[in-house]
Amino acid sequence: MAIDPNILKLYLVTDPHLCAQLGVEKTVEAAVRGGVSMVQLRDKDASTADRIALATRLKPICAQYQVPLVINDDVEAALQSDVDGVHVGQGDMAASLARTKIGTDKILGLSVETVEAAKQTPSNIVDYVGISPIYPTPTKSDHKPPIGFDGLATICAASPVYTVAIGGLKITDCARVMAAGVNGMAVVSAICGQDNPYDAAAGLRRSLDALFL
């Protein structure tokens, strides 16, 4: 599908441990009210059944604010819960197979960590790539060494599809992230780890919107 790149502007990736105090549902609800434009349900330790159950609860929350919901690395959960799409990593299901399974109308994202991977992204299959990691991040232990903002700009320029930056990003990084040429900024702890996810999301969204008046 041809996605609107604006949905990538402020992209929330959930973390069940960081969301433990409020819970994922309340965190997501506050975040989308605050201005998050896309949500990815990510829980590496959950079963497919658990992901389906949580996605089913998150769907009406995201739909109320017209925010797409995708699931990380679990095509079956995405299909069973009928969310808006799926995001896969380089070591997970091949993007071509994921697209075959989810059909042409769902969103498909792909993680890339190198220029070579970005160049090889099939633009007729993948809607956007998540470029990482900008900084070291404790929420994802299997990533490659940090690429920094110069690396982000280089990989972004090599991508044939829309781009999102991820990896330890905070509100103080907004200007440098968007200056690299990406379409959006993905965060985890900058929202999930905060006492007030609404305020955190609203602050991030204001900062990003100010860069593109």
Side-chain angles (χ1 to χ4, degrees):
M1 63 180 289
I3 64 169
D4 180 347
N6 287 320
I7 66 172
L8 302 172
K9 182 180 283 186
L10 180 54
Y11 187 134
L12 173 64
V13 179
T14 66
D15 182 287
H17 305 294
L18 291 175
C19 292
Q21 183 174 356
L22 290 177
V24 174
E25 291 148 88
K26 287 186 178 179
T27 300
V28 168
E29 195 276 335
V32 293
R33 282 195 298 110
V36 159
S37 55
M38 188 164 177
V39 175
Q40 179 188 133
L41 191 172
R42 186 172 80 184
D43 187 343
K44 294 290 189 179
D45 300 323
S47 66
T48 291
D50 288 339
R51 294 186 188 114
I52 292 169
L54 179 54
T56 301
R57 297 194 298 271
L58 291 177
K59 270 181 65 178
I61 297 171
C62 292
Q64 181 181 353
Y65 295 90
Q66 297 181 308
V67 170
L69 172 65
V70 301
I71 295 180
N72 179 264
D73 293 347
D74 194 333
V75 170
E76 186 60 31
L79 289 172
Q80 290 295 322
S81 58
D82 193 27
V83 294
D84 298 292
V86 68
H87 184 98
V88 296
Q90 292 288 331
D92 303 309
M93 180 182 290
S96 57
L97 180 56
R99 174 57 75 194
T100 298
K101 287 181 174 291
I102 66 174
T104 58
D105 295 332
K106 301 283 189 183
I107 299 169
L108 178 59
L110 176 68
S111 296
V112 298
E113 298 172 323
T114 65
V115 170
E116 292 72 23
K119 287 180 177 178
Q120 292 169 10
T121 300
S123 59
N124 61 326
I125 292 174
V126 173
D127 294 299
Y128 73 91
V129 293
I131 303 173
S132 70
I134 315 307
Y135 293 117
T137 170
T139 65
K140 195 169 186 290
S141 60
D142 57 347
H143 61 66
K144 286 183 167 54
I147 58 173
F149 293 98
D150 289 342
L152 172 63
T154 302
I155 296 174
C156 177
S159 173
V161 298
Y162 297 131
T163 53
V164 178
I166 186 170
L169 296 170
K170 303 188 183 307
I171 192 169
T172 49
D173 298 309
C174 288
R176 295 180 73 188
V177 168
M178 303 314 287
V182 296
N183 299 103
M185 174 171 159
V187 298
V188 187
S189 62
I191 291 177
C192 291
Q194 304 304 309
D195 292 334
N196 191 322
Y198 171 84
D199 285 347
L204 283 159
R205 186 59 188 259
R206 282 194 299 270
S207 294
L208 292 170
D209 285 345
L211 296 168
F212 294 94
L213 297 175

